[in-house]
């Protein structure tokens, strides 16, 4: 029997299908999602839950003339399959392949490359205001988790105030990454399980089934009747108080019913919210019963069982979670804060054993940071566990609520550096450059698990704001650094002695820097390597040795401009003066949006693996040997006049010819 899904090259083909073809289509879509994600990893549960909803959206609206805005974009796999990209799922999230989020480069059906939650309603407001009077319909599909973020509420308020004709589809599955944290969501969840609602809904559905189809479509008051009779005033009262009409709730797995609801909403002259109830992971038992988020964004897995097919290596996140639990058991002042990601940040064990000391604020990073400042002021030691990329959403609070007040808040920044598969929005490359702008911020970067544990212990005992950053993936052990000992406090660790060049390696770049130095030693170059551990304050012994080198090199897994290398070079110049300081080469990530791909491959293309570091050192040490990476086209190199200028020159060699950068926009 020919595949229904493979016959769809565009939404036009989807619209031509008869209603009786829908059950088979949604079954094929779910099978295609499981097959693709099981091979290469990706977002599973969220996409399984929106199959019928996405089909209905594309049968009612005219994409790309009508705009479908996904919040967040990780629920857009079905949208991609129905807009001509089914074949691309063989290379989902692979370098040069299909992005895991909407992408303007891929298709005119993708409008916003949205992977940070709670933003689509603001996009919709702006577009609708700019195109007021247009016949184009603007639809924002938001998860209930997005309604725990402040931007969504701000946008709802403006949508209602201006009467902007935007259709908001609330995909309510009761979960974001983990269970949705919100009093409003809890009230809706109460409704969903209320026997009075279920009893009434059954009677209403039987009554509707007996009515002619034309009468059902013409019933303009159906949404309001449902709400009133089901005694579900909370969500309706809230959004309608803001000037947004409410319709629902509707069964999110009934294509025909959803088409009716969306058709009705499209006729509204102002903002309208269509409340849709879905089941995350629908149709795939391992995802339906996933207790937290293992199958939300998963690595490759066995499609028969849902079990991971990866190597199961111990991760930085696991090491942090165990260290947090041990610290919390010793010190009752420690409180962990997460923004809707307790599992992703390693806090599940602590939450289970001491739930009152793990605060989940929902997708609200700004609130998380300022609440942490309040906790610190009240005598607690808050640890804000957050991905590096998401901390950027709360920089103002970090700077002014925590930094300005000198509150002792510890930031545990997971996924720091190049992260890979999820592309430009998820690389954690800005945290060092941003946090170094906060006066009094201590910045720590462990290179191995033992140092992660030790530095976390040190961090909670310090004063003022402290950030501890660590990368994604498998954690290294100290033995991989060679025959080295534990280091007390914030001291740096010398990994290799040398007289000519001093390399200051930050965090996970310590091992590749050491490997590069060993290779060059075979060519007669005498290179010292330091594991920095503490970027600020920097070890004075390390700085003194760096000041006496013929060449100073810094290496970091973060943006080079204004990052750790700039800080360390500045401290050397401060120590001995600009005329006495050695020339400096700062190696790091360019100021650019990096495409998705395997982290190790991206780092190699950027010259931040052992081969790349060795090549850059060799080119700096051997006269006439130019580096292989092309200079960025934004500006010609300046003539260096001292250590700081030499570092700026190095920053301009930003590898923008690499394939990691080729598919995205670069910036300066």
């Amino acid at each position: 029997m020919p595949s229904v899904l493979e016959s769809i090259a565009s939404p036009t083909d989807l619209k031509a299908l008869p209603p009786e073809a829908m059950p088979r289509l949604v079954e094929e879509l779910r099978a295609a999602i499981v097959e693709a994600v099981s091979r290469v990893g990706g977002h599973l549960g969220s996409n399984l839950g929106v199959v019928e909803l996405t089909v209905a959206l594309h049968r009612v609206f005219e994409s790309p003339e009508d705009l479908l805005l996904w919040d967040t974009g990780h629920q857009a796999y079905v949208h991609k399959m129905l807009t001509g990209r089914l074949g691309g799922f063989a290379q989902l999230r692979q370098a040069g392949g299909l992005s895991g989020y909407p992408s303007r480069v891929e298709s005119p059906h993708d409008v916003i490359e949205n992977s940070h939650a709670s933003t689509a309603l603001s996009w919709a407001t702006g577009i609708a205001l700019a195109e007021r009077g247009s016949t184009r319909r603007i639809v924002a599909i938001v998860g209930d988790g997005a309604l725990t973020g402040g931007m969504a509420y701000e946008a709802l308020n403006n949508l209602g105030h201006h009467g902007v004709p935007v259709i908001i589809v609330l995909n309510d599955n009761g979960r974001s990454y983990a269970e949705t944290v919100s009093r409003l969501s809890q009230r809706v969840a109460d409704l969903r399980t209320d026997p009075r609602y279920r009893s009434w809904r059954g009677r209403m559905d039987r009554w509707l089934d007996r009515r002619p189809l034309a009468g059902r479509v013409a019933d303009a008051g159906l949404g309001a009747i449902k709400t009133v009779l089901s005694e579900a005033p909370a969500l309706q009262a809230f959004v309608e108080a803001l000037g947004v009409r409410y319709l629902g709730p509707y069964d999110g797995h009934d294509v025909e019913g959803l088409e009716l609801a969306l058709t009705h909403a499209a006729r509204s002259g102002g903002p309208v919210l269509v409340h849709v109830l879905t089941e995350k992971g629908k149709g795939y038992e391992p995802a339906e019963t996933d207790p937290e988020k293992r199958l939300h964004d998963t690595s490759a897995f066995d499609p028969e069982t849902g079990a991971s097919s990866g190597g199961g290596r111990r991760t930085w996140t696991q090491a942090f979670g165990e260290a947090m639990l041990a610290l919390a058991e010793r010190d009752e002042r420690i409180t962990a804060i997460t923004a809707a990601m307790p599992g992703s940040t390693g806090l599940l064990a602590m939450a289970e054993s001491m739930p009152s000391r793990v605060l989940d604020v929902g997708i609200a990073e700004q609130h998380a940071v300022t609440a942490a400042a309040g906790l610190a002021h009240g005598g607690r030691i808050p640890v804000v566990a957050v991905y590096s990329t998401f901390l950027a959403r709360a920089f103002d609070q970090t700077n002014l609520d925590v930094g300005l007040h000198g509150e002792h808040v510890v930031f545990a920044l997971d996924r720091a550096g190049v992260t890979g598969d999820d592309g430009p929005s998820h690389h954690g490359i800005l945290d060092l450059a941003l946090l170094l702008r906060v006066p009094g911020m201590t910045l720590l970067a462990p290179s191995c698990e033992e140092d992660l544990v030790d530095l976390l212990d040190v961090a909670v005992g310090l004063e003022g704001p402290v950030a501890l950053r660590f990368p994604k993936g498998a954690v290294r052990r100290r033995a991989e650094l060679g025959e080295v000992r534990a280091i007390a406090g914030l001291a740096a660790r010398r990994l290799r002695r040398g007289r000519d060049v001093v390399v200051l390696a930050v965090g996970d770049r310590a091992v590749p820097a050491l490997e590069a130095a060993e290779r060059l030693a075979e060519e007669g170059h005498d290179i010292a390597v330091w594991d920095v551990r503490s970027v600020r304050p920097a070890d004075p012994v390390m700085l003194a040795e760096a000041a006496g080198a013929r060449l100073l090199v810094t290496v970091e897994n973060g943006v080079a401009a204004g990052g750790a290398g700039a800080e360390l070079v500045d401290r050397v110049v401060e120590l001995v003066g600009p005329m006495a300081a050695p020339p400096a080469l700062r190696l790091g990530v360019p100021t650019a949006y990096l495409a998705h791909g395997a982290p190790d491959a991206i780092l190699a293309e950027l010259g931040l693996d052992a081969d790349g570091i060795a090549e850059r050192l060799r080119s700096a040490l051997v006269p006439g040997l130019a580096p292989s990476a092309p200079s960025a086209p934004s500006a010609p190199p300046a003539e260096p006049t001292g250590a700081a200028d030499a570092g700026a020159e190095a920053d301009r060699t930003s590898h923008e010819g690499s394939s990691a950068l080729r598919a995205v926009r670069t910036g300066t």
Side-chain angles (χ1 to χ4, degrees), residues 196-212 216 219 222-223 225-226 229-230 248-254 256-258 260 277:
R196 292 172 296 176
Y197 169 69
R198 294 200 305 270
S199 175
W200 168 81
R201 184 63 187 267
R203 293 195 302 273
M204 177 62 76
D205 287 345
R206 288 191 294 273
W207 175 71
L208 288 173
D209 287 341
R210 293 194 295 270
R211 298 188 64 200
R216 294 165 64 189
D219 191 351
L222 180 58
I225 292 172
K226 285 182 178 181
L229 293 181
S230 66
Y250 298 101
D251 181 356
H253 301 297
D254 174 5
E256 184 179 4
L258 288 170
L260 293 173
L277 304 180

Side-chain angles (χ1 to χ4, degrees), residues 248-455:
Y250 298 101
D251 181 356
H253 301 297
D254 174 5
V255 174
E256 184 179 4
L258 288 170
E259 289 185 41
L260 293 173
L262 293 170
T263 299
H264 175 47
R267 293 173 180 155
S268 176
V272 56
L273 184 145
V274 182
H275 185 188
V276 176
L277 304 180
T278 63
E279 181 182 357
K280 194 168 187 176
K282 175 74 172 178
Y284 181 58
E285 195 271 340
E288 289 180 342
T289 57
D290 181 13
E292 207 272 331
K293 67 158 295 282
R294 183 175 56 84
L295 292 178
H296 169 81
D297 53 339
T298 178
S299 57
F301 62 92
D302 180 350
E304 295 297 322
T305 65
S308 172
S309 57
R313 292 187 61 187
R314 182 172 172 79
T315 67
W316 285 92
T317 304
Q318 290 172 325
F320 166 74
E322 292 175 11
M324 269 295 295
L325 179 59
L327 273 178
E329 288 172 343
R330 298 200 305 267
D331 190 335
E332 63 182 14
R333 297 173 299 167
I334 293 175
T335 300
I337 302 179
T338 174
M341 300 172 70
S344 304
T345 55
L347 295 177
L348 282 182
M350 182 176 171
E352 182 177 347
S353 62
M354 45 190 79
S356 65
R357 292 167 60 191
V358 176
L359 176 63
D360 188 344
V361 301
I363 303 176
E365 290 85 1
Q366 293 176 317
H367 168 62
V369 172
T370 301
L375 282 167
H377 190 70
R380 298 290 189 94
I381 302 177
V383 179
V384 180
V386 63
Y387 284 9
S388 168
T389 181
F390 294 130
L391 181 70
R393 309 185 80 181
F395 175 71
D396 183 69
Q397 290 69 28
T398 303
N399 182 36
L400 297 181
D401 292 327
V402 175
L404 178 63
H405 295 86
E407 298 293 354
H408 180 39
V409 174
V410 177
F411 297 91
L413 306 182
D414 200 339
R415 271 68 165 177
V418 170
T419 57
D421 302 334
D422 288 327
S425 62
H426 275 53
H427 293 301
I429 57 177
L430 297 178
D431 58 272
L432 285 168
L434 288 174
L435 294 179
L436 282 164
R437 310 285 77 80
V438 179
M441 175 71 72
T442 298
L443 279 166
L444 310 177
S447 59
C448 61
E449 179 174 351
E450 293 88 341
D451 277 8
L452 170 64
V453 175
D454 293 345
L455 287 174

Side-chain angles (χ1 to χ4, degrees), residues 62 82 189 269 276 366 377 417 458 486 512 566 571 597 631-632:
E62 303 287 343
L82 297 177
V276 176
Q366 293 176 317
H377 190 70
V458 170
R571 298 291 74 78
S631 296

